[in-house]
Amino acid sequence: MEPMSLQDFVCSLDPASLPRVLQVCSGVYFQGSIYEISGNECCLSTGDLIKVTQVHLQKVVCENPETGQTMVLAPNFQGHFSLLTGPQSYGTLEELVSAANQSSKKLPICFMSTYKIATKARVVPEKQPLKLVAVEMHLGTCCARCVLDTGAQQVLLHLPLSQKGPFWELEPGTHRTLLQVLQDPALRDRLLTCPALPWCSQTLRPEYKIEAIMHMRRSVVKIPSTLEVDVEDVTASSQHIHFIQPLLLSEVLARGGPFPLPTEILEVPEGPPIFLSPWVGSLKKGRRLCIHGVASPSWRLLASTKGRKMPRHFMISGAYQGKLRRRPREFPTAYDLLGALKPGQSLRVVATKDYEGEGLENPGFTSLAMGDRLEVLRSDQALGAEDRDTDVLVCQRLSDEAEKEGEEECEGDAEHQEQIMLPLHTPGGFVEELSDGRRYSLQDLTVQFSLPCEVKVMVKDTNHPADPLTSFPGLRLEEKIVEPFLVVSLDSKPGMCFEIPPRWLDLTVAEEEEPPSQPPGSLPVATVEELTEAFYYRLRKLPTFESQAPPPRPPKIFSNLRTAGTISAAQTQGADLAKDHRGQLKSVQSDSWLQEGPQAH
């Protein structure tokens, strides 16, 4: 095939022959844009290959050949067109008949008038096609016997040869719609006439939008047919060519399959890593990656280690198969006990510090000794110094006998029924009293207990031989995150799968035709990933965390009591501790916490 303009190629294209592969013979660059303008491709280089998949008619430019005026017709234009034999018009019917005789044309011939023709029988509208079937004498006048086809009937008319026009000769045949004219290659660049248009003759120039696939272009390329570029059809010699179309992992996730999907990594997002796992260093351009499907379940838990100066942070999959045991929680102040108190759940604690309740004017504000056992009942308000209301926790003091199973309560025994009140600023430390020795799965733990929750991993996940969680004395399960992950494996390490979140690690890949090489049986999946510190605090800024209600405000009475000089130094220190602790909790939702997070945490 010889090179031709893109416009000529599209106008002569049979849509049934798609797709077609074109090679650009002369490139074009539209100054002002590197790739596209208004969503259309405007830069094609010589030698580029284009796989045309769809062609859509955008509009049709109608031009008056005499004046050069143009107008735009929509693709759904409803007018009908007739084909003119040439650009010449005739002043009278006699000139039309004489021209037909000179060109040896035989009757009948078709013609039209650009003006109305009034006869005794009826008025012929302008641009209405007529058929001249014979020349004969009628009522003593040489006339042209014509037939007017109205659709419902055919009307016979006798028009004198002296009838003035101008007249235009038409090609015989039926009227054609706009799409019929455009689909007929023989009618390209021919003169047409249409009663619905203001001009006697016009030419039609269609403009198309081409949808095509190009090498290394992620989306379908849209090219206007009017782009000034020459192309050559190389479909027959390019059957072996595979067009590489980049895909984002997020697009693979949205597409939903088919899986497994063999791919090659084309690009890795720039920026600091989000995981500290060994496989992160293997995500490089050119590596083969097999996508096995969407991870199930879709939820993950954020967890941080306990008992270390610098905590480590992990993301644990909902498919984690290790066994966990609950650990007692620690509470620096009574204020923290209020945050841990949940309706319908018993909360028992042991005091880890002595606390003297001196200087307060309510006898219910009792002192505590290290080792005292308490059951937190509810929050309340009590009358404190200067007759001001103070926020307190109502607790029940427990004796050693209270924990013995099966022992009946003695209603008159003060040791079992003594209720005390702790102001929220009480600085004495507390540790949760637990008698739960069960081993829970991660799923059961999240269902039965609210987060955050402190645990110890007793049995590692057998499907994850490198499970690091068993080596830590304790973990704090902080929050559940629901986010879709993809299960993938590297071709260099086909025996181990890991999970990638496209939202935060959106690799660019290219689909490959070769099937992936997989070992038999189900593949183990890494269910624990260690997070970088920066990514951990980035997750803590997610809306899931920001929507959490902040802890209750500490009591305002401390500033008043301190001003009045009625509170002791120890109590003032306790109030400051509670206030500082609130500042640490509240700063979880502030930007500055991202910088000071490890120290505050």
Side-chain angles (χ1 to χ4, degrees):
M1 175 182 175
E2 294 296 325
M4 64 173 63
S5 69
L6 183 61
Q7 175 72 16
D8 291 343
F9 171 80
V10 176
C11 290
S12 61
L13 177 66
D14 180 9
S17 67
L18 293 176
R20 308 295 296 179
V21 179
L22 307 180
Q23 185 173 29
V24 179
C25 297
S26 61
V28 63
Y29 174 73
F30 194 100
Q31 188 174 3
S33 175
I34 299 178
Y35 296 108
E36 59 182 35
I37 292 180
S38 301
N40 293 324
E41 189 74 17
C42 59
C43 300
L44 295 175
S45 301
T46 302
D48 281 350
L49 290 177
I50 306 170
K51 186 175 183 179
V52 180
T53 57
Q54 295 288 335
V55 174
H56 302 284
L57 179 63
Q58 296 296 99
K59 62 181 179 180
V60 179
V61 178
C62 179
E63 181 179 357
N64 185 341
E66 296 181 358
T67 63
Q69 291 177 296
T70 61
M71 62 186 302
V72 176
L73 304 180
N76 58 353
F77 178 71
Q78 298 299 315
H80 289 77
F81 293 86
S82 298
L83 182 63
L84 298 177
T85 58
Q88 183 180 0
S89 62
Y90 304 95
T92 62
L93 278 178
E94 186 175 4
E95 294 179 7
L96 175 63
V97 173
S98 176
N101 292 332
Q102 291 178 4
S103 60
S104 301
K105 290 183 179 179
K106 296 182 179 180
L107 299 180
I109 60 174
C110 297
F111 70 98
M112 71 168 190
S113 172
T114 56
Y115 294 98
K116 296 179 181 179
I117 301 176
T119 66
K120 293 181 179 180
R122 63 184 303 149
V123 176
V124 180
E126 61 183 32
K127 301 181 182 179
Q128 180 69 43
L130 295 167
K131 183 184 292 185
L132 195 159
V133 295
V135 177
E136 60 187 18
M137 298 297 294
H138 179 70
L139 300 178
T141 304
C142 187
C143 296
R145 178 156 54 91
C146 304
V147 176
L148 172 64
D149 189 355
T150 62
Q153 60 178 343
Q154 291 187 341
V155 181
L156 181 64
L157 300 174
H158 286 86
L159 302 178
L161 293 183
S162 59
Q163 179 72 44
K164 293 184 178 181
F167 298 100
W168 296 78
E169 186 179 357
L170 304 176
E171 291 279 1
T174 59
H175 307 317
R176 298 172 175 87
T177 64
L178 177 62
L179 293 181
Q180 288 173 336
V181 171
L182 299 179
Q183 291 171 358
D184 190 347
L187 300 184
R188 288 183 56 196
D189 302 325
R190 293 291 301 272
L191 284 175
L192 304 165
T193 185
C194 177
L197 297 177
W199 306 317
C200 298
S201 63
Q202 55 271 158
T203 58
L204 300 179
R205 187 173 67 253
E207 294 185 7
Y208 296 90
K209 180 179 68 177
I210 302 169
E211 292 186 1
I213 298 174
M214 295 183 66
H215 276 304
M216 302 305 294
R217 299 298 293 270
R218 179 176 298 124
S219 58
V220 173
V221 178
K222 299 178 182 179
I223 307 173
S225 63
T226 54
L227 194 65
E228 296 180 359
V229 59
D230 292 339
V231 296
E232 181 181 1
D233 191 338
V234 294
T235 304
S237 60
S238 60
Q239 297 296 322
H240 64 286
I241 297 178
H242 175 64
F243 286 82
I244 299 177
Q245 187 175 6
L247 285 171
L248 290 173
L249 289 187
S250 56
E251 294 172 340
V252 175
L253 180 65
R255 195 170 66 177
F259 299 115
L261 179 66
T263 64
E264 179 183 337
I265 300 177
L266 299 179
E267 185 180 356
V268 179
E270 296 181 356
I274 63 175
F275 296 123
L276 296 177
S277 304
W279 54 261
V280 174
S282 301
L283 299 180
K284 297 179 180 179
K285 182 178 179 181
R287 294 289 180 89
R288 297 191 63 191
L289 190 76
C290 181
I291 304 175
H292 299 276
V294 182
S296 178
S298 60
W299 58 272
R300 306 287 184 279
L301 283 183
L302 279 186
S304 297
T305 60
K306 301 286 291 182
R308 292 178 179 266
K309 293 183 178 180
M310 291 297 294
R312 296 167 62 181
H313 310 289
F314 296 89
M315 181 179 288
I316 308 175
S317 169
Y320 183 74
Q321 297 299 313
K323 296 297 182 181
L324 307 95
R325 178 180 291 170
R326 294 175 63 203
R327 290 182 73 251
R329 292 171 287 179
E330 297 178 0
F331 307 100
T333 67
Y335 171 73
D336 298 280
L337 290 175
L338 177 62
L341 184 61
K342 304 296 181 183
Q345 295 183 10
S346 174
L347 178 60
R348 292 187 175 188
V349 296
V350 177
T352 59
K353 295 180 182 179
D354 294 335
Y355 167 67
E356 297 294 335
E358 58 194 14
L360 298 174
E361 299 180 359
N362 191 317
F365 296 166
T366 311
S367 300
L368 293 178
M370 183 173 63
D372 282 353
R373 299 174 56 248
L374 304 174
E375 181 174 358
V376 183
L377 301 179
R378 64 185 182 277
S379 63
D380 207 338
Q381 285 191 333
L383 194 63
E386 297 184 350
D387 295 333
R388 294 180 180 272
D389 288 337
T390 300
D391 293 327
V392 297
L393 282 179
V394 179
C395 304
Q396 181 171 309
R397 192 191 300 270
L398 303 174
S399 66
D400 293 338
E401 289 79 9
E403 65 178 337
K404 294 181 180 178
E405 295 181 359
E407 181 178 357
E408 297 181 358
E409 288 193 18
C410 298
E411 297 182 359
D413 190 348
E415 291 183 350
H416 295 284
Q417 300 298 325
E418 180 186 2
Q419 288 191 354
I420 63 173
M421 291 182 288
L422 296 178
L424 294 187
H425 67 278
T426 303
F430 304 90
V431 63
E432 186 176 14
E433 185 179 77
L434 281 182
S435 58
D436 187 0
R438 290 180 54 192
R439 296 181 178 183
Y440 295 89
S441 66
L442 194 64
Q443 171 72 26
D444 293 340
L445 196 68
T446 56
V447 170
Q448 298 182 34
F449 304 100
S450 60
L451 298 177
C453 179
E454 296 188 12
V455 298
K456 171 74 171 77
V457 178
M458 307 302 296
V459 180
K460 69 178 182 180
D461 188 347
T462 55
N463 294 326
H464 185 21
D467 183 359
L469 300 183
T470 54
S471 61
F472 302 110
L475 283 177
R476 177 180 171 88
L477 306 181
E478 295 170 328
E479 186 63 35
K480 178 185 284 188
I481 296 177
V482 179
E483 183 69 29
F485 281 58
L486 289 175
V487 179
V488 302
S489 65
L490 289 165
D491 189 59
S492 57
K493 300 178 181 178
M496 186 64 187
C497 295
F498 51 92
E499 298 175 344
I500 288 183
R503 176 177 177 182
W504 299 301
L505 190 56
D506 207 2
L507 304 178
T508 302
V509 299
E511 187 174 351
E512 291 195 339
E513 296 181 347
E514 298 182 10
S517 57
Q518 297 186 53
S522 59
L523 298 177
V525 180
T527 53
V528 179
E529 301 293 352
E530 185 170 1
L531 308 179
T532 62
E533 192 173 38
F535 183 57
Y536 168 76
Y537 289 112
R538 178 180 169 189
L539 291 178
R540 294 303 300 261
K541 292 187 68 176
L542 289 177
T544 304
F545 292 88
E546 294 176 355
S547 62
Q548 294 179 2
R553 183 181 300 277
K556 298 180 180 180
I557 187 172
F558 310 135
S559 59
N560 298 327
L561 291 177
R562 194 183 309 173
T563 302
T566 59
I567 189 168
S568 66
Q571 292 161 347
T572 303
Q573 181 183 6
D576 292 338
L577 287 173
K579 189 177 297 182
D580 290 343
H581 185 64
R582 172 177 172 79
Q584 292 178 6
L585 292 178
K586 191 173 182 181
S587 63
V588 170
Q589 298 182 6
S590 68
D591 292 336
S592 62
W593 188 80
L594 289 177
Q595 301 174 355
E596 303 176 2
Q599 291 78 8
H601 185 75

